Amino acid sequence: TAGLIADKKSYDTAVMVNMDNSIADGLSASGLAGAVDAPILLAQKNKIPNETKQRLKNVKKIYIIGKELSISKSVETELKNTGAQVTRLGGDDRIKTSYSVAKEVNGIKKVDEVILTNAYKGEADAISIASVAARDKAPIILTNGQSIPFSTSGLKSYVIGGTASMSNTLVNNTKSTRLGGSTRFETNKAIINKFYKDAREFYIAGAYELTNALVGSSLSKHGPMVLVNDGSNKSILKNAKKITSIGYIDSNIVQQC
């Protein structure tokens, strides 16, 4: 699926994440992918799948997201042997990895907008906002939901998620706008209403298969990503002219959409 999405664009840079065991490192990848106009491609810890290799033929620069527990040194060496410039962005945990990615984004384009999510409870929220991060070239900063160790002064700041994952104290201290509801579907709808007001073209992805929604975030120039499940509220799609499904979605759910 990631490869087919990459085929929709021309690119000479790729962002590589491992989603086998955890979506953690991928959560902060979308802002960088937007900043360098790159697809998000999937690797395994010790292997580059053939579907990914085929998409690296003309790539001059590759970003690896995460430390060697995510993508091994041997995979990094294999990537370097293709002649591409390889940059690894990682920290001791997913929060520090997101800082490393944010610094890189800021080096490419001065950051004026940041997105704050919960590192451990807010995975669906981070994926919901991923297409906005890619479109606006805005880094997603992962937090403990209570505080951040830097100032957001002079930045437009959004907190994604309800009070169960992101505290009011954090919202107030960072002067952020909260976009969130009590479910992943409500948060997703709030994001689309805020950032894609008159959208007529939509992408849909399974609400609990978050990898597809993440790799689809690079398509965000055309329309927002709607997280869907059997029986979920799909009223956001009522004015849709075109809906594209990302990855496998049960035909019953597609019919509801």
Side-chain angles (χ1 to χ4, degrees):
T1 299
L4 292 171
I5 290 165
D7 293 345
K8 292 268 179 209
K9 59 194 292 150
S10 56
Y11 56 94
D12 60 8
T13 302
V15 175
M16 197 159 294
V17 296
N18 176 359
M19 307 292 266
D20 277 355
N21 302 320
S22 160
I23 201 166
D25 291 325
L27 294 176
S28 52
S30 49
L32 176 64
V36 295
D37 198 20
I40 296 172
L41 294 171
L42 303 183
Q44 291 165 304
K45 182 182 176 182
N46 295 307
K47 187 173 173 233
I48 306 164
N50 284 333
E51 297 86 348
T52 297
K53 266 186 196 155
Q54 287 162 18
R55 271 85 187 186
L56 296 174
K57 286 180 180 143
N58 302 312
V59 165
K60 296 184 176 67
K61 181 160 190 176
I62 301 166
Y63 284 99
I64 295 173
I65 310 296
K67 285 195 145 182
E68 286 164 26
L69 274 176
S70 297
I71 295 177
S72 67
K73 191 79 181 151
S74 62
V75 166
E76 184 180 344
T77 303
E78 191 180 341
L79 292 171
K80 283 179 176 165
N81 289 343
T82 66
Q85 179 192 342
V86 178
T87 301
R88 186 188 286 272
L89 301 173
D92 292 339
D93 57 30
R94 60 181 73 183
I95 291 177
K96 292 194 175 112
T97 293
S98 78
Y99 296 165
S100 179
V101 173
K103 277 195 192 110
E104 185 70 19
V105 173
N106 193 47
I108 295 160
K109 168 207 167 274
K110 188 87 184 82
V111 167
D112 54 12
E113 180 182 330
V114 293
I115 295 161
L116 307 176
T117 70
N118 186 304
Y120 300 99
K121 288 195 274 190
E123 292 181 341
D125 297 336
I127 297 303
S128 251
I129 197 75
S131 58
V132 177
R135 187 193 69 183
D136 295 355
K137 306 170 178 54
I140 292 178
I141 309 262
L142 303 183
T143 76
N144 61 5
Q146 303 297 322
S147 62
I148 51 170
F150 56 86
S151 165
T152 54
S153 173
L155 299 173
K156 196 181 282 184
S157 172
Y158 295 95
V159 158
I160 310 303
T163 51
S165 60
M166 300 295 277
S167 72
N168 283 327
T169 306
L170 177 58
V171 173
N172 296 336
N173 288 348
T174 56
K175 297 184 172 60
S176 295
T177 302
R178 183 194 293 277
L179 296 168
S182 56
T183 67
R184 62 186 63 199
F185 303 104
E186 284 178 19
T187 297
N188 184 237
K189 192 173 183 178
I191 288 166
I192 294 167
N193 282 333
K194 169 77 179 166
F195 291 102
Y196 293 92
K197 229 169 185 40
D198 301 308
R200 294 289 175 267
E201 187 173 328
F202 294 84
Y203 296 91
I204 57 171
Y208 298 93
E209 304 285 330
L210 294 172
T211 306
N212 289 331
L214 177 73
V215 295
S217 63
S218 63
L219 301 169
S220 61
K221 288 180 185 72
H222 310 296
M225 185 70 64
V226 183
L227 300 184
V228 295
N229 197 36
D230 190 17
S232 64
N233 181 338
K234 300 175 181 69
S235 60
I236 197 86
L237 295 167
K238 67 179 180 290
N239 295 319
K241 294 259 190 310
K242 181 181 180 191
I243 298 173
T244 306
S245 67
I246 304 290
Y248 172 76
I249 300 177
D250 186 272
S251 57
N252 174 36
I253 298 173
V254 173
Q255 206 50 48
Q256 292 168 23
C257 293

